[in-house]
């Protein structure tokens, strides 16, 4: 079945530094990848949609300069949290797929802690 | 735009009892419906989905859901739960008819199965 690998699973960084999170589709080519943020005991909030070879589409209220998304190939999308602050601490999850009918597979998530 | 309401934030049940997790949606267009399960500090796993056809959908781990268009509901059921079913369950909706529509999630229902 479709497998999505997300790395790292946990990261602790200092305030002001940048962190990169990778999302890879291991056995299929993902034309679309989604990035979500999940606060404790809450639902997933869609941050942006990325399509291979084009600029990501950000949801309203998400700072595109702070959350940089790159989808350079059909198997890799990255989310970079720039100049991280403690309020960016959260659980970030990616999902990848071909289309809605085929279904989207979620990565295992990244727990980001900014100290 | 679509929205999802999960009526119960927490559902405690005893092992081997039946359970129903409720989900209602709102949409001005036809929809696809999904149920996902999330175990602590992990990504989301698809339980089942409704795209078209039979309104009763069977998924993994003995779960099933029924799409009721008139009541705009997609409730998840299992006739006999196990301790291992303890997890967070998310109902999600996307607009149908396209190829890359984003998912809108409900706030989740924490199912706790007690011995």
């Amino acid at each position: 079945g479709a497998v999505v690998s997300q790395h790292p699973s946990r990261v602790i960084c200092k305030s002001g530094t940048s962190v990169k999170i990778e999302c890879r589709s291991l056995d299929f080519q993902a034309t679309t990848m989604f990035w979500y943020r999940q606060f404790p005991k809450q639902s997933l909030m869609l941050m942006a949609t990325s399509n291979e070879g084009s600029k990501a589409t950000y949801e309203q209220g998400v700072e595109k300069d702070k959350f940089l998304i790159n989808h350079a190939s059909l198997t890799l999308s990255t989310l970079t949290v720039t100049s991280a602050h403690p309020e960016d601490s959260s659980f970030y999850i990616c999902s990848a797929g071909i289309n809605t009918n085929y279904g989207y597979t979620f990565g295992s998530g990244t727990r980001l802690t900014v100290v | 735009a679509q929205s999802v309401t999960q009526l119960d934030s927490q559902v405690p049940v005893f092992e081997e009892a039946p359970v129903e997790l409720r989900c209602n949606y709102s949409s001005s267009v036809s929809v696809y419906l999904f149920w996902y399960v999330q175990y602590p500090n992990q990504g989301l796993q698809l339980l089942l989905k409704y795209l078209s056809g039979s309104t009763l959908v069977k998924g993994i781990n003995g779960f099933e859901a029924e799409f009721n268009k008139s009541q705009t509901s997609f409730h998840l059921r299992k006739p006999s739960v196990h301790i291992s079913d303890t997890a967070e369950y998310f109902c999600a909706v996307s607009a149908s008819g396209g190829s890359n529509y984003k998912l809108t999630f409900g706030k989740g229902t924490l199912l706790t199965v007690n011995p």
Side-chain angles (χ1 to χ4, degrees):
Chain A
V3 179
V4 173
S5 173
Q6 190 172 340
H7 180 80
S9 57
R10 291 178 179 271
V11 59
I12 300 173
C13 70
K14 291 185 177 180
S15 187
T17 62
S18 295
V19 174
K20 180 183 286 187
I21 302 170
E22 293 187 347
C23 181
R24 293 182 184 270
S25 55
L26 298 185
D27 51 0
F28 68 100
Q29 292 184 329
T31 52
T32 303
M33 289 187 174
F34 299 92
W35 287 96
Y36 295 85
R37 182 174 180 176
Q38 186 178 28
F39 293 97
K41 299 188 185 300
Q42 293 189 32
S43 188
L44 284 76
M45 180 192 78
L46 179 65
M47 299 174 66
T49 303
S50 82
N51 294 294
E52 185 268 337
S54 63
K55 289 185 177 180
T57 302
Y58 289 82
E59 295 299 301
Q60 191 173 8
V62 178
E63 298 175 62
K64 60 179 66 176
D65 293 331
K66 178 162 193 62
F67 298 99
L68 299 179
I69 292 171
N70 183 278
H71 194 161
S73 76
L74 285 171
T75 60
L76 174 64
S77 176
T78 60
L79 167 67
T80 301
V81 182
T82 63
S83 187
H85 291 286
E87 57 263 30
D88 298 325
S89 297
S90 191
F91 194 57
Y92 294 88
I93 308 176
C94 71
S95 72
I98 299 172
N99 56 47
T100 304
N101 284 358
Y102 185 85
Y104 295 103
T105 302
F106 284 79
S108 55
T110 297
R111 172 76 58 195
L112 170 64
T113 303
V114 184
V115 297
Chain B
Q2 292 77 43
S3 67
V4 177
T5 301
Q6 290 183 244
L7 298 163
D8 305 299
S9 59
Q10 297 186 56
V11 173
V13 294
F14 287 108
E15 195 175 15
E16 298 183 4
V19 70
E20 178 180 81
L21 306 183
R22 296 181 292 170
C23 172
N24 287 87
Y25 70 92
S26 173
S27 176
S28 57
V29 299
S30 297
V31 297
Y32 295 146
L33 293 156
F34 307 81
W35 274 100
Y36 288 88
V37 60
Q38 184 181 34
Y39 298 99
N41 292 312
Q42 293 189 29
L44 274 68
Q45 181 183 11
L46 180 66
L47 282 176
L48 48 80
K49 61 184 177 182
Y50 171 80
L51 302 182
S52 65
S54 174
T55 58
L56 183 62
V57 180
K58 293 188 183 299
I60 62 172
N61 300 341
F63 284 95
E64 64 179 33
E66 185 157 19
F67 170 55
N68 188 317
K69 188 174 181 180
S70 62
Q71 296 185 6
T72 60
S73 67
F74 191 56
H75 300 333
L76 181 71
R77 302 186 183 96
K78 187 170 182 177
S80 176
V81 295
H82 301 290
I83 298 288
S84 59
D85 292 323
T86 295
E88 189 87 27
Y89 291 79
F90 292 96
C91 181
V93 64
S94 73
S96 67
S99 60
N100 286 313
Y101 283 91
K102 60 187 181 183
L103 293 172
T104 299
F105 287 88
K107 292 187 175 182
T109 297
L110 176 61
L111 173 64
T112 303
V113 181
N114 299 301

